[in-house]
Each structure stands twice: as structure tokens, then as C-alpha cells.
Amino acid sequence: SAHRRPLWEAAMEGGAGVTRYVRAELEDMVVSKFKTFCKQKCGECGGDATKRFSTSMSFVVKHMIDTFWCPECGRLLCEQHRYQHTCERLDQQKERNKHLTHEQLAAQMAEAENLRQVAEEREKAAQREEAEAKAAQSRQRKDRRKLLAVKAKAVEDFLQAVSRDDKANELRGSRVRDELFELYTRSKTLSLTLYNEYEHPTLPGLAEDDWRAVCEIYTSATGLTGMFALLEGEPLNMRNPWEMPEEGAEEL
């Protein structure tokens, strides 16, 4: 396809040479080239037209096209010029309106108002959809942090019980006893860290490194003792529901 000239360049020249889009082109840009879309300029003033959507989700913005695009002239527009910009087709319509009756003009105005309200409702619906999607993601992260904290506490409790079993540790020998106690000390710290991440997150995602350390501790502990922890009456499974099993890997 032909190379599009920057909108700011076209805007400086007035109406001639302004880049125009059809809806399908914009939808494709939003879906497949979102970063490029967020850098587009206003076809009226040359200012940022789409930068305000950079923190939004592309599938939501796809339903908000009428808030930054004029279907009459095809321009991309900033918030200031969405309803106040040079529009050749509207100018032509105004010229035709001079010859309309009062009733015809009133009907046109009513239709235009209806279309404006529909566009506003679409924007509000898209904003609600985005807010709901973000809330769902937030709940999912919280649930995952909680599961990591619960499993880490199960490992801590398991190692605490093992460390306090004097008779079993006497049979295991002092080296294994000391190693188990060291694992317990580390697991206690990690368990507290993961609980704090659940209650008061400091990371945008999960505490992957701390969780990996808990898994390594548990693997070492089961290897030293031949025992396993229980969680809700079932053997503790360190693989989480959102993790894909590695090929050939065994469940912990």
C-alpha cells in the first residue's frame, strides 16, 4: 500500500493532502499495530490524537473509534477537534441545508443528535468493558498471590514439624538435621515475603524468584526426609493451575 504522509504534515497544509481513513483501516491499525496507532496526530491541529489510549487495551479501543475519527471526512482527531474541525462533507451538507425546509432540517438535526448519543454510549460501554477487564486481571493476580502464600506457608509448617522431630532427626544425623533447620529458616522468611506480597503487593506481577526459591527448598526437603507436605488433606502440589507442565517434568 502507498506510504501515508504524517498527519501533522498534512494538517499544516490545510484540507489538501490530509490523511483520511476508513473504519476498517483504523480497526486493523488498532488491533495489529497498536503502538503505531497511539502515535497518530490530529488531522486538524497536528497535536496528539491517540496518545491518550496508550494505557488502554486494543480490543477496547477498537470499539471507541467514533470518539477520535470523523466518518464524514476520515480524519483522525484529538478530543478538542472531534466535533469542531474542517470537514468538507459537512460543509457540503451545510450548503445543501440552505435549501431544506424547517421540518427537513429539524429531522436531520434529530438524527445527528441520535448518532452523537449512540457514539457516546458506545464509548461509555467500551470504558466499562475496559474497567471490568482490568478489575478481573487484578482479582486474578490477587488470587494467584494468595495461592503462592498458602503453599509457601504449607512448606514452612512442614519444615517446622520436621525440624522439631528430635527422634527422626537423630536417626538422620546432624548434617541432615542442620540442613533441614536451615531450609526451615529460609522457608519462614520466604513465606512471610509471599504473604506480604499478597496483602500489600510491591510488584506488578508475581514474586517469581521467591516462589522459585520455595519450590527448590521443598524439593530439597522431600529428598532429605522422604516425606511430603499436606494441603487441605492432599499431598502438596507445587505446580500452579496457570503453569504449563514442562515436557518430561514430574509433579512435585
Side-chain angles (χ1 to χ4, degrees):
S1 60
H3 174 68
R4 290 190 177 281
R5 301 172 64 200
L7 292 186
W8 65 265
E9 181 179 313
M12 294 296 288
E13 298 176 1
V18 171
T19 305
R20 306 170 194 277
Y21 296 89
V22 297
R23 183 181 293 273
E25 288 179 302
L26 285 178
E27 290 180 347
D28 180 65
M29 188 191 302
V30 169
V31 172
S32 60
K33 301 175 183 178
F34 191 65
K35 289 185 178 179
T36 300
F37 161 76
C38 291
K39 297 176 182 177
Q40 298 305 305
K41 303 296 182 180
C42 175
E44 182 71 14
C45 67
D48 291 325
T50 54
K51 184 178 180 180
R52 66 186 188 274
F53 298 107
S54 61
T55 58
S56 300
M57 301 174 185
S58 59
F59 76 89
V60 174
V61 176
K62 182 181 176 182
H63 299 293
M64 300 174 66
I65 286 178
D66 288 329
T67 66
F68 55 81
W69 170 70
C70 175
E72 299 296 332
C73 66
R75 286 176 170 84
L76 280 179
L77 299 152
C78 64
E79 290 181 282
Q80 181 181 352
H81 292 111
R82 173 60 187 89
Y83 296 107
Q84 285 187 325
H85 64 275
T86 304
C87 184
E88 294 79 7
R89 288 188 62 181
L90 284 181
D91 289 342
Q92 293 170 4
Q93 185 62 48
K94 288 177 182 178
E95 186 62 30
R96 289 194 295 269
N97 286 348
K98 293 179 181 179
H99 307 288
L100 295 178
T101 65
H102 178 74
E103 289 76 13
Q104 290 173 324
L105 187 58
Q108 275 195 2
M109 291 175 64
E111 182 181 3
E113 176 61 19
N114 181 60
L115 291 174
R116 186 189 66 80
Q117 290 180 1
V118 169
E120 286 184 356
E121 285 302 316
R122 284 180 181 171
E123 181 179 6
K124 290 177 182 177
Q127 290 172 345
R128 285 194 299 270
E129 184 179 356
E130 181 176 19
E132 290 168 0
K134 287 182 176 180
Q137 289 179 347
S138 179
R139 288 193 300 271
Q140 182 187 71
R141 287 192 297 270
K142 186 172 184 179
D143 290 344
R144 289 181 176 183
R145 291 186 183 111
K146 180 180 180 180
L147 183 58
L148 296 189
V150 168
K151 288 185 176 183
K153 188 66 171 67
V155 172
E156 176 194 349
D157 292 344
F158 167 70
L159 278 165
Q160 183 183 53
V162 167
S163 298
R164 289 179 175 177
D165 189 342
D166 294 333
K167 289 184 179 180
N169 286 328
E170 186 176 344
L171 294 174
R172 294 183 183 113
S174 60
R175 184 187 66 80
V176 174
R177 179 198 63 202
D178 293 344
E179 189 171 346
L180 286 170
F181 185 76
E182 180 187 351
L183 291 174
Y184 165 61
T185 302
R186 289 172 56 202
S187 72
K188 187 175 182 179
T189 300
L190 289 165
S191 176
L192 179 61
T193 298
L194 288 170
Y195 179 78
N196 287 337
E197 272 300 307
Y198 163 62
E199 286 287 344
H200 307 287
T202 62
L203 299 171
L206 302 177
E208 299 283 0
D209 292 341
D210 292 322
W211 172 245
R212 195 174 297 111
V214 172
C215 292
E216 292 170 356
I217 287 172
Y218 184 58
T219 299
S220 298
T222 55
L224 290 170
T225 64
M227 302 167 65
F228 54 82
L230 293 176
L231 182 63
E232 298 180 350
E234 298 290 334
L236 177 61
N237 183 358
M238 299 300 278
R239 182 181 299 154
N240 297 306
W242 60 89
E243 297 171 339
M244 293 294 292
E246 295 181 9
E247 188 174 348
E250 296 181 1
E251 289 194 6
L252 297 177

